[in-house]
Amino acid sequence: MNHSLTRAFSMRTILVLVYAFLYIPIAVLVALSFNEGGLPTAWSGFSLKWYVSLAGNSAILSAALNTLIVALVSTAIATLLGTLLAIGVEMRRQYGKGLEALIFAPMIIPDIVLAIALLSFFSMLNLTMGLHTIILAHVVFNLAFVCSVVRARLKSFDWSIVEASTDLGASAIATFRRITLPVIAPAVIAGALLAFTLSVDEFIIAFFTAGAGRASTTLPMQIYAMIRFGITPEINALATIVMAVSVTALTLSQRLNRGMIGQ
């Protein structure tokens, strides 16, 4: 009994230390974003002035708009293509390990490798770099994640209802709209939220495929440019906002996934 209690206590201690290591720096960052004095070593009072300062920074607002455009457009395209890919693969049900590896390769390949490959591909096509190339790159990156989430839902999907709908004379589009889509809708939304979160946070691929100029600078790129001259309270406030958006979207995605598992 004592041995079991000791082991449980030690495991709990390790878990607490790991969580502390992960989240104390984030908590400090969030706290400093509300520090009136802006000094990283002394608390001088609560203030929202750094968030107000962000609202008046044109460079940050422009980068935030670019990030929103990239995230929304790439999420929409990746969700559509990823959902169709998941349905096609599951309906066929006869695929080898090679196809499986090909579909999920962007999830496994390091970001730096994928970024260099996309940069080389765009250069080979003589494409002018900009927001459009970042969007295309994020679609490639996010498509596998959407497909993975939707396929998890399709594993428990009863395909006999699709066959019954076809036997009753419904077209393929009507069957998809009235039967398949309502069943997999939570997975599609969860995949979209995950893709949006990844797109908002992504830096390396965007950095390699953005090209020159501020017109295609995203928020992570703007943060990187700012921290090269030192970390300021504005950066802390900006990082807190980005983290809040990401955590919210990821939490919603996880809840939808939990709901699918419980069905």
PDB file of all heavy atoms in Angstrom, residues 59 62-67 69-70 128-135 138 202-203 205-222:
ATOM      1  N   ALA A  59       1.372  48.760 -38.495  1.00  0.00           N
ATOM      2  CA  ALA A  59       2.101  47.584 -38.983  1.00  0.00           C
ATOM      3  C   ALA A  59       1.495  46.307 -38.425  1.00  0.00           C
ATOM      4  O   ALA A  59       1.316  45.314 -39.142  1.00  0.00           O
ATOM      5  CB  ALA A  59       3.576  47.688 -38.606  1.00  0.00           C
ATOM      6  N   SER A  62      -1.994  45.703 -39.986  1.00  0.00           N
ATOM      7  CA  SER A  62      -1.864  45.195 -41.356  1.00  0.00           C
ATOM      8  C   SER A  62      -1.471  43.719 -41.353  1.00  0.00           C
ATOM      9  O   SER A  62      -2.019  42.918 -42.128  1.00  0.00           O
ATOM     10  CB  SER A  62      -0.814  46.014 -42.108  1.00  0.00           C
ATOM     11  OG  SER A  62      -0.583  45.495 -43.399  1.00  0.00           O
ATOM     12  N   ALA A  63      -0.535  43.358 -40.477  1.00  0.00           N
ATOM     13  CA  ALA A  63      -0.117  41.959 -40.374  1.00  0.00           C
ATOM     14  C   ALA A  63      -1.259  41.079 -39.866  1.00  0.00           C
ATOM     15  O   ALA A  63      -1.442  39.948 -40.326  1.00  0.00           O
ATOM     16  CB  ALA A  63       1.088  41.845 -39.444  1.00  0.00           C
ATOM     17  N   ALA A  64      -2.050  41.610 -38.919  1.00  0.00           N
ATOM     18  CA  ALA A  64      -3.190  40.858 -38.396  1.00  0.00           C
ATOM     19  C   ALA A  64      -4.230  40.623 -39.493  1.00  0.00           C
ATOM     20  O   ALA A  64      -4.818  39.537 -39.585  1.00  0.00           O
ATOM     21  CB  ALA A  64      -3.820  41.606 -37.223  1.00  0.00           C
ATOM     22  N   LEU A  65      -4.456  41.627 -40.329  1.00  0.00           N
ATOM     23  CA  LEU A  65      -5.400  41.470 -41.439  1.00  0.00           C
ATOM     24  C   LEU A  65      -4.903  40.428 -42.430  1.00  0.00           C
ATOM     25  O   LEU A  65      -5.682  39.582 -42.906  1.00  0.00           O
ATOM     26  CB  LEU A  65      -5.602  42.815 -42.146  1.00  0.00           C
ATOM     27  CG  LEU A  65      -6.552  42.802 -43.355  1.00  0.00           C
ATOM     28  CD1 LEU A  65      -7.952  42.357 -42.949  1.00  0.00           C
ATOM     29  CD2 LEU A  65      -6.591  44.181 -44.017  1.00  0.00           C
ATOM     30  N   ASN A  66      -3.607  40.462 -42.741  1.00  0.00           N
ATOM     31  CA  ASN A  66      -3.033  39.457 -43.641  1.00  0.00           C
ATOM     32  C   ASN A  66      -3.180  38.049 -43.071  1.00  0.00           C
ATOM     33  O   ASN A  66      -3.519  37.101 -43.789  1.00  0.00           O
ATOM     34  CB  ASN A  66      -1.548  39.755 -43.882  1.00  0.00           C
ATOM     35  CG  ASN A  66      -1.327  40.960 -44.771  1.00  0.00           C
ATOM     36  OD1 ASN A  66      -2.223  41.372 -45.512  1.00  0.00           O
ATOM     37  ND2 ASN A  66      -0.154  41.549 -44.690  1.00  0.00           N
ATOM     38  N   THR A  67      -2.925  37.910 -41.778  1.00  0.00           N
ATOM     39  CA  THR A  67      -3.063  36.606 -41.122  1.00  0.00           C
ATOM     40  C   THR A  67      -4.497  36.119 -41.191  1.00  0.00           C
ATOM     41  O   THR A  67      -4.748  34.930 -41.453  1.00  0.00           O
ATOM     42  CB  THR A  67      -2.615  36.704 -39.652  1.00  0.00           C
ATOM     43  OG1 THR A  67      -1.224  37.024 -39.610  1.00  0.00           O
ATOM     44  CG2 THR A  67      -2.845  35.383 -38.914  1.00  0.00           C
ATOM     45  N   ILE A  69      -6.791  36.920 -43.413  1.00  0.00           N
ATOM     46  CA  ILE A  69      -7.101  36.561 -44.800  1.00  0.00           C
ATOM     47  C   ILE A  69      -6.534  35.182 -45.131  1.00  0.00           C
ATOM     48  O   ILE A  69      -7.230  34.314 -45.679  1.00  0.00           O
ATOM     49  CB  ILE A  69      -6.554  37.624 -45.775  1.00  0.00           C
ATOM     50  CG1 ILE A  69      -7.305  38.945 -45.612  1.00  0.00           C
ATOM     51  CG2 ILE A  69      -6.644  37.132 -47.222  1.00  0.00           C
ATOM     52  CD1 ILE A  69      -6.695  40.091 -46.400  1.00  0.00           C
ATOM     53  N   VAL A  70      -5.259  34.984 -44.804  1.00  0.00           N
ATOM     54  CA  VAL A  70      -4.607  33.704 -45.085  1.00  0.00           C
ATOM     55  C   VAL A  70      -5.303  32.566 -44.347  1.00  0.00           C
ATOM     56  O   VAL A  70      -5.586  31.507 -44.925  1.00  0.00           O
ATOM     57  CB  VAL A  70      -3.115  33.769 -44.697  1.00  0.00           C
ATOM     58  CG1 VAL A  70      -2.492  32.377 -44.736  1.00  0.00           C
ATOM     59  CG2 VAL A  70      -2.358  34.706 -45.621  1.00  0.00           C
ATOM     60  N   THR A 128       5.041  34.818 -58.591  1.00  0.00           N
ATOM     61  CA  THR A 128       5.408  35.937 -57.735  1.00  0.00           C
ATOM     62  C   THR A 128       4.917  35.654 -56.322  1.00  0.00           C
ATOM     63  O   THR A 128       3.751  35.335 -56.118  1.00  0.00           O
ATOM     64  CB  THR A 128       4.778  37.242 -58.244  1.00  0.00           C
ATOM     65  OG1 THR A 128       5.196  37.473 -59.590  1.00  0.00           O
ATOM     66  CG2 THR A 128       5.200  38.427 -57.380  1.00  0.00           C
ATOM     67  N   MET A 129       5.804  35.777 -55.361  1.00  0.00           N
ATOM     68  CA  MET A 129       5.447  35.459 -53.985  1.00  0.00           C
ATOM     69  C   MET A 129       4.539  36.531 -53.386  1.00  0.00           C
ATOM     70  O   MET A 129       4.660  37.712 -53.695  1.00  0.00           O
ATOM     71  CB  MET A 129       6.709  35.313 -53.125  1.00  0.00           C
ATOM     72  CG  MET A 129       7.662  34.250 -53.598  1.00  0.00           C
ATOM     73  SD  MET A 129       6.985  32.575 -53.444  1.00  0.00           S
ATOM     74  CE  MET A 129       8.343  31.617 -54.116  1.00  0.00           C
ATOM     75  N   GLY A 130       3.657  36.101 -52.537  1.00  0.00           N
ATOM     76  CA  GLY A 130       2.740  37.017 -51.871  1.00  0.00           C
ATOM     77  C   GLY A 130       1.766  36.242 -51.000  1.00  0.00           C
ATOM     78  O   GLY A 130       1.998  35.078 -50.665  1.00  0.00           O
ATOM     79  N   LEU A 131       0.645  36.889 -50.651  1.00  0.00           N
ATOM     80  CA  LEU A 131      -0.346  36.221 -49.818  1.00  0.00           C
ATOM     81  C   LEU A 131      -0.904  34.974 -50.489  1.00  0.00           C
ATOM     82  O   LEU A 131      -1.230  33.991 -49.823  1.00  0.00           O
ATOM     83  CB  LEU A 131      -1.497  37.191 -49.497  1.00  0.00           C
ATOM     84  CG  LEU A 131      -1.236  38.269 -48.441  1.00  0.00           C
ATOM     85  CD1 LEU A 131      -2.505  39.076 -48.193  1.00  0.00           C
ATOM     86  CD2 LEU A 131      -0.739  37.654 -47.143  1.00  0.00           C
ATOM     87  N   HIS A 132      -1.001  35.009 -51.832  1.00  0.00           N
ATOM     88  CA  HIS A 132      -1.568  33.855 -52.538  1.00  0.00           C
ATOM     89  C   HIS A 132      -0.686  32.617 -52.400  1.00  0.00           C
ATOM     90  O   HIS A 132      -1.195  31.493 -52.276  1.00  0.00           O
ATOM     91  CB  HIS A 132      -1.796  34.190 -54.014  1.00  0.00           C
ATOM     92  CG  HIS A 132      -0.557  34.633 -54.742  1.00  0.00           C
ATOM     93  ND1 HIS A 132       0.019  35.864 -54.553  1.00  0.00           N
ATOM     94  CD2 HIS A 132       0.223  33.995 -55.661  1.00  0.00           C
ATOM     95  CE1 HIS A 132       1.092  35.983 -55.316  1.00  0.00           C
ATOM     96  NE2 HIS A 132       1.245  34.854 -55.993  1.00  0.00           N
ATOM     97  N   THR A 133       0.637  32.800 -52.387  1.00  0.00           N
ATOM     98  CA  THR A 133       1.519  31.641 -52.228  1.00  0.00           C
ATOM     99  C   THR A 133       1.492  31.137 -50.775  1.00  0.00           C
ATOM    100  O   THR A 133       1.604  29.936 -50.530  1.00  0.00           O
ATOM    101  CB  THR A 133       2.958  31.983 -52.632  1.00  0.00           C
ATOM    102  OG1 THR A 133       3.371  33.194 -51.972  1.00  0.00           O
ATOM    103  CG2 THR A 133       3.062  32.181 -54.136  1.00  0.00           C
ATOM    104  N   ILE A 134       1.336  32.050 -49.819  1.00  0.00           N
ATOM    105  CA  ILE A 134       1.200  31.614 -48.421  1.00  0.00           C
ATOM    106  C   ILE A 134      -0.080  30.800 -48.258  1.00  0.00           C
ATOM    107  O   ILE A 134      -0.102  29.765 -47.580  1.00  0.00           O
ATOM    108  CB  ILE A 134       1.175  32.825 -47.468  1.00  0.00           C
ATOM    109  CG1 ILE A 134       2.459  33.635 -47.576  1.00  0.00           C
ATOM    110  CG2 ILE A 134       0.980  32.354 -46.021  1.00  0.00           C
ATOM    111  CD1 ILE A 134       2.472  34.884 -46.703  1.00  0.00           C
ATOM    112  N   ILE A 135      -1.165  31.263 -48.893  1.00  0.00           N
ATOM    113  CA  ILE A 135      -2.445  30.546 -48.810  1.00  0.00           C
ATOM    114  C   ILE A 135      -2.314  29.149 -49.395  1.00  0.00           C
ATOM    115  O   ILE A 135      -2.752  28.157 -48.793  1.00  0.00           O
ATOM    116  CB  ILE A 135      -3.548  31.342 -49.534  1.00  0.00           C
ATOM    117  CG1 ILE A 135      -3.884  32.609 -48.751  1.00  0.00           C
ATOM    118  CG2 ILE A 135      -4.803  30.482 -49.718  1.00  0.00           C
ATOM    119  CD1 ILE A 135      -4.803  33.560 -49.477  1.00  0.00           C
ATOM    120  N   HIS A 138      -0.320  26.959 -47.063  1.00  0.00           N
ATOM    121  CA  HIS A 138      -1.085  26.567 -45.880  1.00  0.00           C
ATOM    122  C   HIS A 138      -2.159  25.536 -46.217  1.00  0.00           C
ATOM    123  O   HIS A 138      -2.507  24.704 -45.370  1.00  0.00           O
ATOM    124  CB  HIS A 138      -1.711  27.802 -45.231  1.00  0.00           C
ATOM    125  CG  HIS A 138      -0.754  28.569 -44.381  1.00  0.00           C
ATOM    126  ND1 HIS A 138      -1.146  29.462 -43.414  1.00  0.00           N
ATOM    127  CD2 HIS A 138       0.602  28.573 -44.350  1.00  0.00           C
ATOM    128  CE1 HIS A 138      -0.088  29.972 -42.817  1.00  0.00           C
ATOM    129  NE2 HIS A 138       0.989  29.453 -43.379  1.00  0.00           N
ATOM    130  N   GLU A 202       1.265  29.576 -37.710  1.00  0.00           N
ATOM    131  CA  GLU A 202       2.362  29.086 -38.552  1.00  0.00           C
ATOM    132  C   GLU A 202       3.300  30.220 -38.969  1.00  0.00           C
ATOM    133  O   GLU A 202       2.857  31.272 -39.409  1.00  0.00           O
ATOM    134  CB  GLU A 202       1.779  28.399 -39.786  1.00  0.00           C
ATOM    135  CG  GLU A 202       2.708  27.378 -40.412  1.00  0.00           C
ATOM    136  CD  GLU A 202       3.830  28.026 -41.176  1.00  0.00           C
ATOM    137  OE1 GLU A 202       3.547  29.007 -41.903  1.00  0.00           O
ATOM    138  OE2 GLU A 202       4.980  27.574 -41.054  1.00  0.00           O
ATOM    139  N   PHE A 203       4.600  29.963 -38.843  1.00  0.00           N
ATOM    140  CA  PHE A 203       5.601  30.985 -39.173  1.00  0.00           C
ATOM    141  C   PHE A 203       6.562  30.561 -40.275  1.00  0.00           C
ATOM    142  O   PHE A 203       6.780  31.286 -41.243  1.00  0.00           O
ATOM    143  CB  PHE A 203       6.404  31.344 -37.911  1.00  0.00           C
ATOM    144  CG  PHE A 203       7.644  32.145 -38.205  1.00  0.00           C
ATOM    145  CD1 PHE A 203       7.543  33.479 -38.564  1.00  0.00           C
ATOM    146  CD2 PHE A 203       8.902  31.558 -38.147  1.00  0.00           C
ATOM    147  CE1 PHE A 203       8.686  34.226 -38.851  1.00  0.00           C
ATOM    148  CE2 PHE A 203      10.041  32.291 -38.424  1.00  0.00           C
ATOM    149  CZ  PHE A 203       9.933  33.636 -38.776  1.00  0.00           C
ATOM    150  N   ILE A 205       6.705  28.246 -42.779  1.00  0.00           N
ATOM    151  CA  ILE A 205       6.242  28.117 -44.167  1.00  0.00           C
ATOM    152  C   ILE A 205       5.854  29.479 -44.722  1.00  0.00           C
ATOM    153  O   ILE A 205       6.172  29.812 -45.876  1.00  0.00           O
ATOM    154  CB  ILE A 205       5.066  27.127 -44.243  1.00  0.00           C
ATOM    155  CG1 ILE A 205       5.535  25.722 -43.857  1.00  0.00           C
ATOM    156  CG2 ILE A 205       4.462  27.100 -45.644  1.00  0.00           C
ATOM    157  CD1 ILE A 205       4.428  24.695 -43.795  1.00  0.00           C
ATOM    158  N   ALA A 206       5.186  30.300 -43.913  1.00  0.00           N
ATOM    159  CA  ALA A 206       4.802  31.639 -44.357  1.00  0.00           C
ATOM    160  C   ALA A 206       6.041  32.494 -44.633  1.00  0.00           C
ATOM    161  O   ALA A 206       6.080  33.243 -45.612  1.00  0.00           O
ATOM    162  CB  ALA A 206       3.916  32.307 -43.311  1.00  0.00           C
ATOM    163  N   PHE A 207       7.052  32.361 -43.796  1.00  0.00           N
ATOM    164  CA  PHE A 207       8.272  33.147 -43.954  1.00  0.00           C
ATOM    165  C   PHE A 207       8.976  32.821 -45.267  1.00  0.00           C
ATOM    166  O   PHE A 207       9.488  33.710 -45.949  1.00  0.00           O
ATOM    167  CB  PHE A 207       9.199  32.871 -42.768  1.00  0.00           C
ATOM    168  CG  PHE A 207      10.462  33.677 -42.770  1.00  0.00           C
ATOM    169  CD1 PHE A 207      10.456  34.989 -42.342  1.00  0.00           C
ATOM    170  CD2 PHE A 207      11.656  33.119 -43.203  1.00  0.00           C
ATOM    171  CE1 PHE A 207      11.632  35.741 -42.349  1.00  0.00           C
ATOM    172  CE2 PHE A 207      12.828  33.854 -43.217  1.00  0.00           C
ATOM    173  CZ  PHE A 207      12.812  35.173 -42.788  1.00  0.00           C
ATOM    174  N   PHE A 208       8.985  31.547 -45.646  1.00  0.00           N
ATOM    175  CA  PHE A 208       9.674  31.126 -46.860  1.00  0.00           C
ATOM    176  C   PHE A 208       8.874  31.442 -48.122  1.00  0.00           C
ATOM    177  O   PHE A 208       9.460  31.604 -49.196  1.00  0.00           O
ATOM    178  CB  PHE A 208       9.972  29.628 -46.800  1.00  0.00           C
ATOM    179  CG  PHE A 208      11.266  29.295 -46.120  1.00  0.00           C
ATOM    180  CD1 PHE A 208      11.370  29.353 -44.738  1.00  0.00           C
ATOM    181  CD2 PHE A 208      12.382  28.925 -46.842  1.00  0.00           C
ATOM    182  CE1 PHE A 208      12.553  29.051 -44.090  1.00  0.00           C
ATOM    183  CE2 PHE A 208      13.583  28.614 -46.205  1.00  0.00           C
ATOM    184  CZ  PHE A 208      13.663  28.679 -44.827  1.00  0.00           C
ATOM    185  N   THR A 209       7.567  31.487 -48.031  1.00  0.00           N
ATOM    186  CA  THR A 209       6.728  31.638 -49.229  1.00  0.00           C
ATOM    187  C   THR A 209       6.071  33.004 -49.349  1.00  0.00           C
ATOM    188  O   THR A 209       5.240  33.212 -50.228  1.00  0.00           O
ATOM    189  CB  THR A 209       5.628  30.562 -49.246  1.00  0.00           C
ATOM    190  OG1 THR A 209       4.822  30.671 -48.055  1.00  0.00           O
ATOM    191  CG2 THR A 209       6.222  29.175 -49.317  1.00  0.00           C
ATOM    192  N   ALA A 210       6.449  33.955 -48.490  1.00  0.00           N
ATOM    193  CA  ALA A 210       5.804  35.270 -48.502  1.00  0.00           C
ATOM    194  C   ALA A 210       6.398  36.214 -49.539  1.00  0.00           C
ATOM    195  O   ALA A 210       5.712  37.111 -50.034  1.00  0.00           O
ATOM    196  CB  ALA A 210       5.891  35.907 -47.119  1.00  0.00           C
ATOM    197  N   GLY A 211       7.665  36.037 -49.865  1.00  0.00           N
ATOM    198  CA  GLY A 211       8.309  36.981 -50.757  1.00  0.00           C
ATOM    199  C   GLY A 211       8.752  38.232 -50.011  1.00  0.00           C
ATOM    200  O   GLY A 211       8.668  38.318 -48.786  1.00  0.00           O
ATOM    201  N   ALA A 212       9.202  39.239 -50.762  1.00  0.00           N
ATOM    202  CA  ALA A 212       9.694  40.477 -50.156  1.00  0.00           C
ATOM    203  C   ALA A 212       8.556  41.479 -49.977  1.00  0.00           C
ATOM    204  O   ALA A 212       7.541  41.420 -50.660  1.00  0.00           O
ATOM    205  CB  ALA A 212      10.801  41.070 -51.028  1.00  0.00           C
ATOM    206  N   GLY A 213       8.750  42.388 -49.031  1.00  0.00           N
ATOM    207  CA  GLY A 213       7.769  43.448 -48.828  1.00  0.00           C
ATOM    208  C   GLY A 213       6.841  43.180 -47.661  1.00  0.00           C
ATOM    209  O   GLY A 213       6.625  42.036 -47.263  1.00  0.00           O
ATOM    210  N   ARG A 214       6.277  44.266 -47.136  1.00  0.00           N
ATOM    211  CA  ARG A 214       5.387  44.168 -45.985  1.00  0.00           C
ATOM    212  C   ARG A 214       3.974  43.779 -46.365  1.00  0.00           C
ATOM    213  O   ARG A 214       3.155  43.461 -45.500  1.00  0.00           O
ATOM    214  CB  ARG A 214       5.363  45.508 -45.236  1.00  0.00           C
ATOM    215  CG  ARG A 214       6.720  45.941 -44.709  1.00  0.00           C
ATOM    216  CD  ARG A 214       6.560  47.151 -43.819  1.00  0.00           C
ATOM    217  NE  ARG A 214       5.698  46.859 -42.678  1.00  0.00           N
ATOM    218  CZ  ARG A 214       6.127  46.312 -41.556  1.00  0.00           C
ATOM    219  NH1 ARG A 214       7.410  45.986 -41.417  1.00  0.00           N
ATOM    220  NH2 ARG A 214       5.296  46.078 -40.567  1.00  0.00           N
ATOM    221  N   ALA A 215       3.651  43.813 -47.658  1.00  0.00           N
ATOM    222  CA  ALA A 215       2.278  43.528 -48.092  1.00  0.00           C
ATOM    223  C   ALA A 215       1.856  42.098 -47.771  1.00  0.00           C
ATOM    224  O   ALA A 215       0.664  41.810 -47.672  1.00  0.00           O
ATOM    225  CB  ALA A 215       2.134  43.795 -49.586  1.00  0.00           C
ATOM    226  N   SER A 216       2.825  41.209 -47.631  1.00  0.00           N
ATOM    227  CA  SER A 216       2.508  39.807 -47.354  1.00  0.00           C
ATOM    228  C   SER A 216       3.040  39.357 -45.989  1.00  0.00           C
ATOM    229  O   SER A 216       3.225  38.169 -45.754  1.00  0.00           O
ATOM    230  CB  SER A 216       3.080  38.906 -48.452  1.00  0.00           C
ATOM    231  OG  SER A 216       4.483  39.097 -48.586  1.00  0.00           O
ATOM    232  N   THR A 217       3.266  40.310 -45.095  1.00  0.00           N
ATOM    233  CA  THR A 217       3.748  39.985 -43.752  1.00  0.00           C
ATOM    234  C   THR A 217       2.588  39.525 -42.873  1.00  0.00           C
ATOM    235  O   THR A 217       1.588  40.233 -42.752  1.00  0.00           O
ATOM    236  CB  THR A 217       4.425  41.208 -43.097  1.00  0.00           C
ATOM    237  OG1 THR A 217       5.549  41.604 -43.888  1.00  0.00           O
ATOM    238  CG2 THR A 217       4.890  40.871 -41.685  1.00  0.00           C
ATOM    239  N   THR A 218       2.729  38.349 -42.283  1.00  0.00           N
ATOM    240  CA  THR A 218       1.694  37.844 -41.383  1.00  0.00           C
ATOM    241  C   THR A 218       2.054  38.183 -39.937  1.00  0.00           C
ATOM    242  O   THR A 218       3.156  38.667 -39.659  1.00  0.00           O
ATOM    243  CB  THR A 218       1.529  36.325 -41.532  1.00  0.00           C
ATOM    244  OG1 THR A 218       2.761  35.677 -41.177  1.00  0.00           O
ATOM    245  CG2 THR A 218       1.158  35.956 -42.958  1.00  0.00           C
ATOM    246  N   LEU A 219       1.141  37.918 -39.025  1.00  0.00           N
ATOM    247  CA  LEU A 219       1.349  38.289 -37.629  1.00  0.00           C
ATOM    248  C   LEU A 219       2.565  37.593 -37.001  1.00  0.00           C
ATOM    249  O   LEU A 219       3.368  38.246 -36.324  1.00  0.00           O
ATOM    250  CB  LEU A 219       0.079  37.994 -36.828  1.00  0.00           C
ATOM    251  CG  LEU A 219      -0.184  38.856 -35.599  1.00  0.00           C
ATOM    252  CD1 LEU A 219      -0.066  40.335 -35.920  1.00  0.00           C
ATOM    253  CD2 LEU A 219      -1.563  38.562 -35.032  1.00  0.00           C
ATOM    254  N   PRO A 220       2.734  36.264 -37.175  1.00  0.00           N
ATOM    255  CA  PRO A 220       3.947  35.639 -36.634  1.00  0.00           C
ATOM    256  C   PRO A 220       5.231  36.238 -37.212  1.00  0.00           C
ATOM    257  O   PRO A 220       6.229  36.376 -36.491  1.00  0.00           O
ATOM    258  CB  PRO A 220       3.792  34.169 -37.032  1.00  0.00           C
ATOM    259  CG  PRO A 220       2.323  33.967 -37.155  1.00  0.00           C
ATOM    260  CD  PRO A 220       1.808  35.253 -37.719  1.00  0.00           C
ATOM    261  N   MET A 221       5.205  36.602 -38.487  1.00  0.00           N
ATOM    262  CA  MET A 221       6.374  37.236 -39.097  1.00  0.00           C
ATOM    263  C   MET A 221       6.615  38.614 -38.494  1.00  0.00           C
ATOM    264  O   MET A 221       7.764  39.019 -38.281  1.00  0.00           O
ATOM    265  CB  MET A 221       6.185  37.329 -40.612  1.00  0.00           C
ATOM    266  CG  MET A 221       6.155  35.979 -41.322  1.00  0.00           C
ATOM    267  SD  MET A 221       5.575  36.106 -43.025  1.00  0.00           S
ATOM    268  CE  MET A 221       6.822  37.172 -43.741  1.00  0.00           C
ATOM    269  N   GLN A 222       5.546  39.350 -38.224  1.00  0.00           N
ATOM    270  CA  GLN A 222       5.668  40.665 -37.608  1.00  0.00           C
ATOM    271  C   GLN A 222       6.228  40.558 -36.189  1.00  0.00           C
ATOM    272  O   GLN A 222       7.083  41.355 -35.783  1.00  0.00           O
ATOM    273  CB  GLN A 222       4.300  41.356 -37.577  1.00  0.00           C
ATOM    274  CG  GLN A 222       4.296  42.739 -36.940  1.00  0.00           C
ATOM    275  CD  GLN A 222       5.110  43.748 -37.717  1.00  0.00           C
ATOM    276  OE1 GLN A 222       5.237  43.640 -38.937  1.00  0.00           O
ATOM    277  NE2 GLN A 222       5.674  44.724 -37.035  1.00  0.00           N
TER     278      GLN A 222
END
